[in-house]
Amino acid sequence: MKDLLEARFADADAADWLARFAKAGVPGAPINGYAEALADPQALHLGLVQPMTMPGGTDTRTVVCPVRIHGAAVPVDTRAPALGEHDRELRERAREVAGPIGRRDGDGETGTKEGAP
């Protein structure tokens, strides 16, 4: 069945198939990439996109939490961490839970190195 459908769908582009489905009363929508999803009129209307500054100062946009509490959006005020930003805290927490954590030596062996955080 999959092979038959793939061969048939290859006859037209997605916009044509969506129009055909709509005319036949079959619900459907395009599959958006990240940029298309952020630019979608409905996402913008619902306020689901907000600006965010990444580590290093790069400005981008992200999707906010779609949940509303008493009509108010749940704020998203966190950014992705910089590479290694939380290493010390994670190692300290892991030591509390499981004991010392080693680092990978050049030969792939795990061992605790002097001065390791």
Side-chain angles (χ1 to χ4, degrees), residues 50-110:
Q50 79 174 25
M52 177 178 281
T53 302
M54 301 296 290
T58 302
D59 289 326
T60 189
R61 296 177 301 150
T62 190
V63 177
V64 299
C65 180
V67 174
R68 300 210 178 250
I69 299 175
H70 301 294
V74 176
V76 175
D77 58 0
T78 59
R79 62 169 174 74
L83 183 62
E85 181 176 346
H86 300 295
D87 282 359
R88 179 174 302 278
E89 294 90 347
L90 292 171
R91 285 182 178 276
E92 287 172 2
R93 178 66 181 127
R95 278 191 195 101
E96 291 172 11
V97 173
I101 297 175
R103 292 189 177 178
R104 291 267 174 203
D105 294 334
D107 62 1
E109 293 297 315
T110 301

